[in-house]
Amino acid sequence: MTTHDRLQQAIHLRETGHAEEAREILLDLVAAAPDDPQINYQAAWVHDNLGLEREAVPFYVQAIEQGLAGTNLEGALLGLGSTYRALGAYDQSIETFKRGIKEFPHNRAFPVFLAMALYNARQYSESVELLLTQLAETTADENLLRYKRALLFYAPQLDQTWE
């Protein structure tokens, strides 16, 4: 079985609820090809699925450093940022999500996840500003749409009062 076939098998196992079996295959693949970004990304993903966040981080980092691109990079940045946040590494989480926003500006998941990390880092105003902006720009709710302009105006000025 080729490396590609084994990788596809591991992905299928992860997707069908057999993450531990997928992990065994992926660890073997990483040992044989430690610089392969796809293999590292899938290894990170399966570790996250198993609740092994701390073990997932080096695989995410390796995948990104080795040139992961496109939607896989997008997923890796979201996964790594979320994993950092779950581990309490808020500065690293914030940095990762900001990179995601820069590289994938149309993916609204990045600012929402960034808002959670900012909240954890006690940067409440910036956190709520991001959430209000995302809400105002994506809602279909007529009652909120009526106030979209006001929400977007006040979101970056939450701490300001007008007397």
Side-chain angles (χ1 to χ4, degrees), residues 100-150:
I101 289 169
K102 182 178 177 185
E103 294 193 32
F104 303 98
H106 300 296
N107 184 333
R108 292 192 182 269
F110 282 109
V112 172
F113 278 87
L114 173 59
M116 290 190 290
L118 290 167
Y119 176 87
N120 292 129
R122 300 177 188 264
Q123 297 177 37
Y124 304 121
S125 292
E126 190 176 350
S127 173
V128 174
E129 175 186 346
L130 280 171
L131 291 176
L132 286 173
T133 300
Q134 296 309 304
L135 176 65
E137 291 179 350
T138 62
T139 189
D141 184 284
E142 291 179 25
N143 291 310
L144 289 174
L145 284 173
R146 240 180 265 148
Y147 299 101
K148 178 179 180 176
R149 200 167 171 192

Side-chain angles (χ1 to χ4, degrees), residues 34-109:
D35 295 333
D36 185 303
Q38 292 296 329
I39 292 171
N40 277 283
Y41 174 45
Q42 293 301 324
W45 195 340
V46 80
H47 280 84
D48 259 349
N49 279 3
L50 289 167
L52 303 170
E53 288 85 0
R54 197 164 306 284
E55 290 87 347
V57 170
F59 293 115
Y60 278 127
V61 170
Q62 181 73 353
I64 293 166
E65 288 177 355
Q66 293 302 321
L68 198 63
T71 58
N72 288 327
L73 175 60
E74 194 172 359
L77 290 171
L78 273 168
L80 179 60
S82 295
T83 299
Y84 279 145
R85 192 187 75 77
L87 294 171
Y90 305 130
D91 291 341
Q92 291 167 295
S93 178
I94 290 167
E95 179 183 319
T96 303
F97 289 135
K98 285 184 176 181
R99 177 179 173 186
I101 289 169
K102 182 178 177 185
E103 294 193 32
F104 303 98
H106 300 296
N107 184 333
R108 292 192 182 269

Side-chain angles (χ1 to χ4, degrees), residues 1-13 22 25-26 29 36-43:
M1 188 178 287
T2 68
T3 298
H4 175 77
D5 291 340
R6 291 186 72 212
L7 180 60
Q8 293 308 309
Q9 179 188 20
I11 292 169
H12 176 73
L13 286 167
I25 293 168
L26 288 163
L29 290 172
D36 185 303
Q38 292 296 329
I39 292 171
N40 277 283
Y41 174 45
Q42 293 301 324

